[in-house]
Amino acid sequence: MQYDHIIIRYGELGLKGRNRKIFTTQLAKNVRKALRHFPAIKVDKLRDRMYIVLNGEDPEPIMEICRKIFGIQNMSLAVKVANEPERIKEEALRLLKETKNVRTFKVTTKRSNKEFPIGSQEFNQVLGGHLLVNTDDITVDVHHPDLEITVDIRAEATYLTSRKIPGAGGLPVGSSGKSLLLLSGGIDSPVAGYLTMKRGVQIEAIHFHSPPYTSERAKEKVVDLAEKLASYGHSVKIHVVPFTALQQKIHREIPHGYSMTVMRRMMMRISERVAERNGILSLVTGESLGQVASQTMESMHAINAVTNFPVIRPLVAMDKDEIISISEAIDMYDISIRPFEDCCTVFVPKQPKTKPRLEKVEQFEGNMTFDQDIEEILNAIETIEVEATDQAEEQLEDLL
């Protein structure tokens, strides 16, 4: 079947009332950017849907890329025909005959163009009869058809489609502001980044690097994870924090039971400063309640107390199996389990406090100063921008 359009449906975006245009405009921008390697296509945004006019481009790689764009509820390959009953019957018959393994079908007509001379129910019967008369061994099944032909009669034309392909759902990346993801390189934080992007948030990442205790391979692993995240929307900036000296100081000066809590609080303080510098209004972590010592209710309270920024924790109510399942589904798991240390696994105390008291943490921190250490760190941060371009080109090469 020679399809000439892809119809994109908005889903949740359709519920945005007067703000709908903000979201659909961002979605159109993201679609055009993701499909920039297909110069012939044209993206037309309407109030209730979007059309990708193929202009001869192969629809399959385009559909595959669109499946990763947040804000798309579902999509369909479509054929556009004039609002003429005979032309519609001709194309519908061709669609039915060229679809393989079809023994039953159903016709569903939607007639938003009330000037079309035949009503929806009547046209179902007219078209269904035409298809039955002109095919062999194919019957109608209105409950479980092998193929459902949808006839969408609109003002400008009629669109014939045969199936809906699920999209990524959510909101278009960039429509809900920007957040800073604390990206460790493990399983949890990349999933947290993915889920946050799904709610329309553009992500920058901060990674705490402690050479020689953590290797260049560990940093490369984080870059690879950021590339995966970039493939779901925008490019991702990674702010790589040289954390060794401060981590050694904490290990040396803070009672070991509380060193993990203080280390996390320093991460929060540095992250907040990086966020402020980059116009970012919130932080994202991969914390899951009760998973490790730093993620008990008491630990999260003590760590959170050091920042006034909102901290988004998409995984807080998930168990590890649920997180792994998402990680595998978005193709990040194999990268996350590469056996390279991250800073959270070095200098780990034998018995970290699982119920740290905030006043004790503040007392220990009050016995020394970290301000100069943090300023030196902020001045030495390395920023890497992981472009979605490379990922898209690689994906396109694989598809083609």
Short mmCIF file of all heavy atoms in Angstrom, two decimals, residues 210 213 243-264 266 343-352 364-365 368 370 373:
data_model
loop_
_atom_site.label_atom_id
_atom_site.label_comp_id
_atom_site.label_asym_id
_atom_site.label_seq_id
_atom_site.Cartn_x
_atom_site.Cartn_y
_atom_site.Cartn_z
N SER A 210 34.99 10.78 40.56
CA SER A 210 36.03 10.74 41.59
C SER A 210 37.25 9.95 41.14
O SER A 210 37.56 8.89 41.70
CB SER A 210 35.46 10.13 42.89
OG SER A 210 34.47 10.95 43.43
N TYR A 213 39.53 6.89 41.79
CA TYR A 213 38.66 5.83 42.34
C TYR A 213 37.57 5.43 41.34
O TYR A 213 37.05 4.33 41.39
CB TYR A 213 38.03 6.29 43.66
CG TYR A 213 39.07 6.75 44.65
CD1 TYR A 213 39.30 8.11 44.88
CD2 TYR A 213 39.85 5.83 45.35
CE1 TYR A 213 40.26 8.55 45.76
CE2 TYR A 213 40.83 6.26 46.24
CZ TYR A 213 41.03 7.61 46.44
OH TYR A 213 42.00 8.03 47.31
N PHE A 243 34.89 15.39 42.06
CA PHE A 243 34.37 15.23 43.43
C PHE A 243 35.39 14.60 44.38
O PHE A 243 35.12 14.49 45.58
CB PHE A 243 33.12 14.36 43.35
CG PHE A 243 32.17 14.49 44.50
CD1 PHE A 243 31.80 15.73 45.01
CD2 PHE A 243 31.61 13.36 45.10
CE1 PHE A 243 30.92 15.85 46.07
CE2 PHE A 243 30.72 13.47 46.16
CZ PHE A 243 30.39 14.72 46.64
N THR A 244 36.56 14.20 43.88
CA THR A 244 37.48 13.39 44.68
C THR A 244 37.91 14.09 45.97
O THR A 244 37.80 13.51 47.07
CB THR A 244 38.74 13.05 43.86
OG1 THR A 244 38.34 12.53 42.60
CG2 THR A 244 39.60 12.02 44.59
N ALA A 245 38.39 15.32 45.87
CA ALA A 245 38.95 16.00 47.04
C ALA A 245 37.89 16.18 48.13
O ALA A 245 38.15 15.94 49.32
CB ALA A 245 39.53 17.35 46.63
N LEU A 246 36.70 16.57 47.73
CA LEU A 246 35.65 16.78 48.73
C LEU A 246 35.21 15.45 49.33
O LEU A 246 34.96 15.36 50.54
CB LEU A 246 34.45 17.49 48.08
CG LEU A 246 33.28 17.80 49.01
CD1 LEU A 246 33.73 18.56 50.26
CD2 LEU A 246 32.20 18.60 48.28
N GLN A 247 35.16 14.43 48.52
CA GLN A 247 34.77 13.12 49.04
C GLN A 247 35.82 12.61 50.03
O GLN A 247 35.47 12.03 51.07
CB GLN A 247 34.61 12.14 47.87
CG GLN A 247 33.64 11.02 48.17
CD GLN A 247 33.29 10.20 46.94
OE1 GLN A 247 33.82 10.40 45.84
NE2 GLN A 247 32.38 9.27 47.11
N GLN A 248 37.09 12.84 49.73
CA GLN A 248 38.15 12.43 50.67
C GLN A 248 38.05 13.22 51.96
O GLN A 248 38.25 12.66 53.06
CB GLN A 248 39.52 12.66 50.01
CG GLN A 248 39.83 11.68 48.90
CD GLN A 248 41.13 12.03 48.18
OE1 GLN A 248 41.44 13.21 47.97
NE2 GLN A 248 41.87 11.00 47.80
N LYS A 249 37.74 14.50 51.87
CA LYS A 249 37.61 15.33 53.07
C LYS A 249 36.46 14.84 53.95
O LYS A 249 36.60 14.75 55.17
CB LYS A 249 37.36 16.78 52.65
CG LYS A 249 37.25 17.76 53.81
CD LYS A 249 37.13 19.19 53.29
CE LYS A 249 37.00 20.19 54.43
NZ LYS A 249 36.91 21.58 53.93
N ILE A 250 35.35 14.52 53.32
CA ILE A 250 34.20 14.01 54.09
C ILE A 250 34.58 12.69 54.76
O ILE A 250 34.30 12.47 55.95
CB ILE A 250 32.98 13.81 53.15
CG1 ILE A 250 32.48 15.16 52.64
CG2 ILE A 250 31.86 13.04 53.86
CD1 ILE A 250 31.47 15.06 51.51
N HIS A 251 35.25 11.83 54.02
CA HIS A 251 35.65 10.52 54.56
C HIS A 251 36.62 10.70 55.73
O HIS A 251 36.57 9.95 56.71
CB HIS A 251 36.30 9.71 53.44
CG HIS A 251 36.75 8.35 53.86
ND1 HIS A 251 35.88 7.33 54.20
CD2 HIS A 251 38.00 7.83 54.01
CE1 HIS A 251 36.56 6.25 54.53
NE2 HIS A 251 37.86 6.53 54.43
N ARG A 252 37.45 11.73 55.64
CA ARG A 252 38.48 11.96 56.66
C ARG A 252 37.92 12.67 57.90
O ARG A 252 38.29 12.35 59.03
CB ARG A 252 39.59 12.80 56.03
CG ARG A 252 40.84 12.96 56.86
CD ARG A 252 41.93 13.66 56.07
NE ARG A 252 41.53 14.97 55.57
CZ ARG A 252 41.38 15.28 54.29
NH1 ARG A 252 41.60 14.38 53.35
NH2 ARG A 252 41.01 16.50 53.92
N GLU A 253 36.99 13.60 57.71
CA GLU A 253 36.60 14.50 58.79
C GLU A 253 35.25 14.19 59.44
O GLU A 253 35.00 14.60 60.58
CB GLU A 253 36.54 15.94 58.25
CG GLU A 253 37.82 16.44 57.60
CD GLU A 253 38.94 16.64 58.61
OE1 GLU A 253 38.63 16.71 59.82
OE2 GLU A 253 40.11 16.73 58.19
N ILE A 254 34.37 13.50 58.74
CA ILE A 254 33.02 13.27 59.26
C ILE A 254 32.94 11.86 59.85
O ILE A 254 33.48 10.91 59.26
CB ILE A 254 31.98 13.41 58.13
CG1 ILE A 254 31.99 14.83 57.55
CG2 ILE A 254 30.57 13.04 58.62
CD1 ILE A 254 31.50 15.91 58.50
N PRO A 255 32.32 11.68 61.01
CA PRO A 255 32.14 10.32 61.54
C PRO A 255 31.55 9.40 60.48
O PRO A 255 30.59 9.78 59.78
CB PRO A 255 31.17 10.53 62.71
CG PRO A 255 31.43 11.93 63.16
CD PRO A 255 31.76 12.70 61.90
N HIS A 256 32.12 8.21 60.36
CA HIS A 256 31.80 7.35 59.22
C HIS A 256 30.30 7.06 59.09
O HIS A 256 29.78 6.95 57.98
CB HIS A 256 32.60 6.05 59.30
CG HIS A 256 34.03 6.27 58.91
ND1 HIS A 256 34.93 5.25 58.76
CD2 HIS A 256 34.72 7.42 58.66
CE1 HIS A 256 36.11 5.73 58.42
NE2 HIS A 256 36.01 7.06 58.36
N GLY A 257 29.62 6.90 60.19
CA GLY A 257 28.19 6.60 60.12
C GLY A 257 27.40 7.68 59.40
O GLY A 257 26.36 7.41 58.80
N TYR A 258 27.91 8.91 59.46
CA TYR A 258 27.20 10.04 58.85
C TYR A 258 27.84 10.52 57.53
O TYR A 258 27.34 11.45 56.90
CB TYR A 258 27.15 11.21 59.83
CG TYR A 258 26.01 11.10 60.82
CD1 TYR A 258 26.14 10.35 61.98
CD2 TYR A 258 24.80 11.74 60.57
CE1 TYR A 258 25.10 10.23 62.88
CE2 TYR A 258 23.74 11.63 61.46
CZ TYR A 258 23.90 10.88 62.62
OH TYR A 258 22.86 10.76 63.50
N SER A 259 28.95 9.89 57.11
CA SER A 259 29.66 10.40 55.93
C SER A 259 28.81 10.28 54.67
O SER A 259 28.86 11.16 53.79
CB SER A 259 30.98 9.65 55.75
OG SER A 259 30.76 8.27 55.55
N MET A 260 28.05 9.20 54.57
CA MET A 260 27.21 9.03 53.39
C MET A 260 26.15 10.13 53.32
O MET A 260 25.90 10.72 52.26
CB MET A 260 26.55 7.65 53.41
CG MET A 260 25.59 7.35 52.28
SD MET A 260 23.92 7.87 52.66
CE MET A 260 23.54 6.82 54.06
N THR A 261 25.55 10.45 54.46
CA THR A 261 24.52 11.49 54.50
C THR A 261 25.12 12.84 54.11
O THR A 261 24.53 13.59 53.30
CB THR A 261 23.90 11.58 55.90
OG1 THR A 261 23.44 10.28 56.30
CG2 THR A 261 22.73 12.54 55.92
N VAL A 262 26.28 13.16 54.66
CA VAL A 262 26.92 14.44 54.34
C VAL A 262 27.33 14.49 52.87
O VAL A 262 27.17 15.53 52.19
CB VAL A 262 28.13 14.67 55.26
CG1 VAL A 262 28.93 15.90 54.83
CG2 VAL A 262 27.68 14.81 56.71
N MET A 263 27.83 13.37 52.35
CA MET A 263 28.22 13.35 50.94
C MET A 263 27.01 13.66 50.05
O MET A 263 27.10 14.46 49.12
CB MET A 263 28.78 11.97 50.57
CG MET A 263 29.25 11.88 49.12
SD MET A 263 29.68 10.21 48.61
CE MET A 263 28.06 9.46 48.43
N ARG A 264 25.88 13.06 50.36
CA ARG A 264 24.66 13.32 49.55
C ARG A 264 24.22 14.77 49.68
O ARG A 264 23.73 15.38 48.72
CB ARG A 264 23.54 12.39 50.03
CG ARG A 264 23.83 10.91 49.84
CD ARG A 264 23.59 10.47 48.42
NE ARG A 264 23.79 9.04 48.27
CZ ARG A 264 23.60 8.38 47.15
NH1 ARG A 264 23.21 9.03 46.08
NH2 ARG A 264 23.80 7.08 47.09
N MET A 266 26.19 17.30 50.18
CA MET A 266 27.10 18.11 49.36
C MET A 266 26.72 18.00 47.88
O MET A 266 26.79 18.98 47.13
CB MET A 266 28.55 17.64 49.57
CG MET A 266 29.10 17.91 50.95
SD MET A 266 29.01 19.66 51.42
CE MET A 266 27.89 19.54 52.82
N CYS A 343 30.93 7.19 42.04
CA CYS A 343 31.43 7.78 43.29
C CYS A 343 30.62 7.34 44.51
O CYS A 343 31.11 7.40 45.63
CB CYS A 343 31.47 9.30 43.18
SG CYS A 343 29.85 10.08 43.31
N CYS A 344 29.38 6.92 44.28
CA CYS A 344 28.54 6.52 45.41
C CYS A 344 28.97 5.18 45.99
O CYS A 344 28.52 4.79 47.07
CB CYS A 344 27.08 6.45 44.97
SG CYS A 344 26.40 8.04 44.45
N THR A 345 29.80 4.45 45.25
CA THR A 345 30.22 3.12 45.74
C THR A 345 31.64 3.13 46.29
O THR A 345 32.15 2.08 46.66
CB THR A 345 30.10 2.09 44.60
OG1 THR A 345 30.95 2.49 43.51
CG2 THR A 345 28.68 1.96 44.12
N VAL A 346 32.29 4.30 46.30
CA VAL A 346 33.61 4.38 46.92
C VAL A 346 33.48 5.13 48.25
O VAL A 346 32.57 5.94 48.43
CB VAL A 346 34.64 5.07 46.00
CG1 VAL A 346 34.79 4.27 44.72
CG2 VAL A 346 34.21 6.50 45.68
N PHE A 347 34.36 4.84 49.16
CA PHE A 347 34.32 5.41 50.52
C PHE A 347 33.00 5.10 51.23
O PHE A 347 32.52 5.91 52.03
CB PHE A 347 34.53 6.93 50.50
CG PHE A 347 35.83 7.36 49.88
CD1 PHE A 347 35.85 8.14 48.74
CD2 PHE A 347 37.04 6.98 50.45
CE1 PHE A 347 37.05 8.54 48.17
CE2 PHE A 347 38.25 7.36 49.88
CZ PHE A 347 38.24 8.14 48.74
N VAL A 348 32.41 3.98 50.94
CA VAL A 348 31.15 3.65 51.59
C VAL A 348 31.43 3.16 53.01
O VAL A 348 32.22 2.24 53.22
CB VAL A 348 30.42 2.53 50.81
CG1 VAL A 348 29.13 2.13 51.53
CG2 VAL A 348 30.09 3.01 49.40
N PRO A 349 30.81 3.78 54.02
CA PRO A 349 31.05 3.32 55.40
C PRO A 349 30.46 1.93 55.61
O PRO A 349 29.50 1.55 54.96
CB PRO A 349 30.31 4.37 56.24
CG PRO A 349 29.28 4.93 55.33
CD PRO A 349 29.87 4.90 53.95
N LYS A 350 31.07 1.20 56.55
CA LYS A 350 30.59 -0.16 56.82
C LYS A 350 29.18 -0.14 57.40
O LYS A 350 28.37 -1.02 57.11
CB LYS A 350 31.55 -0.87 57.78
CG LYS A 350 32.89 -1.22 57.16
CD LYS A 350 33.76 -1.98 58.14
CE LYS A 350 35.10 -2.35 57.49
NZ LYS A 350 36.00 -3.07 58.44
N GLN A 351 28.89 0.85 58.22
CA GLN A 351 27.56 0.91 58.85
C GLN A 351 27.00 2.33 58.72
O GLN A 351 26.97 3.09 59.69
CB GLN A 351 27.65 0.50 60.32
CG GLN A 351 28.00 -0.97 60.51
CD GLN A 351 28.01 -1.37 61.98
OE1 GLN A 351 28.49 -0.65 62.84
NE2 GLN A 351 27.45 -2.55 62.25
N PRO A 352 26.53 2.69 57.54
CA PRO A 352 25.95 4.03 57.38
C PRO A 352 24.67 4.16 58.19
O PRO A 352 23.92 3.19 58.35
CB PRO A 352 25.65 4.10 55.88
CG PRO A 352 25.49 2.68 55.45
CD PRO A 352 26.43 1.88 56.31
N PHE A 364 27.83 18.13 62.70
CA PHE A 364 29.10 17.69 62.11
C PHE A 364 29.55 18.63 61.00
O PHE A 364 30.74 18.95 60.91
CB PHE A 364 28.95 16.26 61.56
CG PHE A 364 28.72 15.22 62.62
CD1 PHE A 364 27.79 14.20 62.42
CD2 PHE A 364 29.44 15.24 63.80
CE1 PHE A 364 27.58 13.24 63.39
CE2 PHE A 364 29.24 14.27 64.78
CZ PHE A 364 28.30 13.27 64.59
N GLU A 365 28.62 19.05 60.19
CA GLU A 365 28.99 19.97 59.11
C GLU A 365 29.41 21.33 59.67
O GLU A 365 30.28 22.00 59.11
CB GLU A 365 27.82 20.16 58.15
CG GLU A 365 27.52 18.93 57.30
CD GLU A 365 26.35 19.15 56.35
OE1 GLU A 365 25.86 20.29 56.27
OE2 GLU A 365 25.91 18.19 55.71
N MET A 368 33.12 22.31 60.49
CA MET A 368 34.08 22.58 59.42
C MET A 368 33.38 23.39 58.34
O MET A 368 32.17 23.61 58.40
CB MET A 368 34.62 21.27 58.84
CG MET A 368 33.53 20.28 58.46
SD MET A 368 34.11 18.58 58.30
CE MET A 368 35.47 18.79 57.19
N PHE A 370 32.68 23.92 54.13
CA PHE A 370 32.75 23.32 52.81
C PHE A 370 32.63 24.36 51.70
O PHE A 370 32.71 24.01 50.54
CB PHE A 370 31.62 22.28 52.64
CG PHE A 370 31.76 21.06 53.51
CD1 PHE A 370 30.99 20.91 54.65
CD2 PHE A 370 32.67 20.07 53.18
CE1 PHE A 370 31.13 19.79 55.45
CE2 PHE A 370 32.81 18.94 53.97
CZ PHE A 370 32.03 18.80 55.12
N ASP A 373 35.51 24.56 49.27
CA ASP A 373 35.60 23.33 48.45
C ASP A 373 34.57 23.37 47.32
O ASP A 373 34.86 23.00 46.17
CB ASP A 373 35.33 22.10 49.33
CG ASP A 373 36.28 22.02 50.50
OD1 ASP A 373 37.39 21.52 50.32
OD2 ASP A 373 35.88 22.49 51.60
#
